[in-house]
Amino acid sequence: EDQVTQSPEALRLQEGESSSLNCSYTVSGLRGLFWYRQDPGKGPEFLFTLYSAGEEKEKERLKATLTKKESFLHITAPKPEDSATYLCAVYTGGGNKLTFGTGTQLKVEL
Amino acid sequence: DTEVTQTPKHLVMGMTNKKSLKCEQHMGHRAMYWYKQKAKKPPELMFVYSYEKLSINESVPSRFSPECPNSSLLNLHLHALQPEDSALYLCASSQTGTSGADTQYFGPGTRLTVL
């Protein structure tokens, strides 16, 4: 069975303090890995799709990387507005089904 | 434009009521999804429509009834719900849903409370 594990569960950073969120996965045949950001009470906002090991994508202060076992979401010099829950999900084909991790709740303080 | 809209934003209903949630997208996507999300949990897939046909039903109770009138619209009809059905209901869409890992774009959700 496909499994996605995110760590840490919660992370508190000072503004400007860079860090990384981890998403490790055990799947049979990864077709895609997705990162979403979710604010409380709102729908997930798409950030990145990664398809193959070695791939990297960047957007503002965020950079996502992918290996054969895990993905990292690097946050450089975060700001309070980066506070949210970050969700990782994998797609293994055989139907339109995403398997989500339980998320990392990030809080960035002044 | 990657917008998925959902109405209403909030819904309070009694256990004997019948109500509907609506979802709309104008991105030309041919796959649409309903998810349920409880507090501090990831979204759980309920239904998938691909080319207006129901392709996945994740063993959802019959008190939830999906409908896809056309490629842009998705409804979720609710009847005789239980308090434990209170959650954030999310709609999503993706390009085809049949080839590879299409990115799913989510709507803002409907916050449902069942009294």
Side-chain angles (χ1 to χ4, degrees):
Chain A
E1 185 179 323
D2 297 341
Q3 286 196 329
V4 180
T5 303
Q6 290 188 248
S7 61
E9 287 186 15
L11 181 62
R12 183 170 285 188
L13 299 173
Q14 295 298 117
E15 185 176 14
E17 180 186 1
S18 301
S19 188
S20 297
L21 313 183
N22 178 263
C23 171
S24 62
Y25 59 89
T26 306
V27 300
S28 52
L30 181 73
R31 301 286 295 277
L33 185 142
F34 303 83
W35 282 99
Y36 290 89
R37 169 203 169 117
Q38 187 173 26
D39 293 303
K42 300 197 174 175
E45 175 190 343
F46 169 70
L47 294 174
F48 303 109
T49 306
L50 301 167
Y51 291 107
S52 56
E55 192 173 358
E56 299 182 351
K57 289 193 177 171
E58 284 189 70
K59 179 181 176 181
E60 297 179 354
R61 294 180 292 283
L62 299 177
K63 179 179 177 181
T65 62
L66 181 65
T67 73
K68 289 185 178 180
K69 295 182 182 177
E70 59 194 346
S71 177
F72 291 94
L73 185 66
H74 307 278
I75 303 178
T76 302
K79 298 182 177 182
E81 53 262 42
D82 294 323
S83 298
T85 295
Y86 290 84
L87 292 166
C88 167
V90 298
Y91 182 88
T92 56
N96 311 330
K97 192 171 176 180
L98 286 179
T99 300
F100 280 90
T102 52
T104 292
Q105 190 172 357
L106 173 65
K107 185 168 176 59
V108 182
E109 299 171 330
L110 289 170
Chain B
D1 183 13
T2 55
E3 189 177 25
V4 177
T5 59
Q6 291 187 243
T7 56
K9 289 185 180 178
H10 302 276
L11 179 63
V12 179
M13 59 187 290
M15 289 190 285
T16 58
N17 292 158
K18 285 185 181 181
K19 296 285 185 183
S20 296
L21 309 184
K22 295 185 185 303
C23 174
E24 191 166 3
Q25 57 87 15
H26 294 289
M27 296 178 277
H29 289 175
R30 302 310 300 271
M32 296 186 77
Y33 311 76
W34 280 115
Y35 287 86
K36 172 183 177 179
Q37 187 176 26
K38 301 283 263 185
K40 299 195 182 298
K41 297 287 188 182
E44 295 175 44
L45 184 66
M46 300 174 72
F47 303 104
V48 181
Y49 274 84
S50 182
Y51 292 86
E52 294 104 75
K53 288 185 170 27
L54 183 65
S55 61
I56 296 179
N57 177 341
E58 290 287 289
S59 302
V60 178
S62 60
R63 57 186 183 269
F64 296 91
S65 175
E67 177 196 20
C68 189
N70 60 55
S71 61
S72 300
L73 291 173
L74 185 66
N75 298 320
L76 186 63
H77 303 297
L78 313 172
H79 174 54
L81 295 192
Q82 304 296 309
E84 59 264 30
D85 296 321
S86 298
L88 182 67
Y89 287 84
L90 295 164
C91 174
S93 71
S94 68
Q95 194 150 11
T96 65
T98 58
S99 62
D102 293 333
T103 297
Q104 292 185 25
Y105 296 92
F106 286 82
T110 293
R111 170 67 62 190
L112 173 68
T113 303
V114 182
L115 301 176

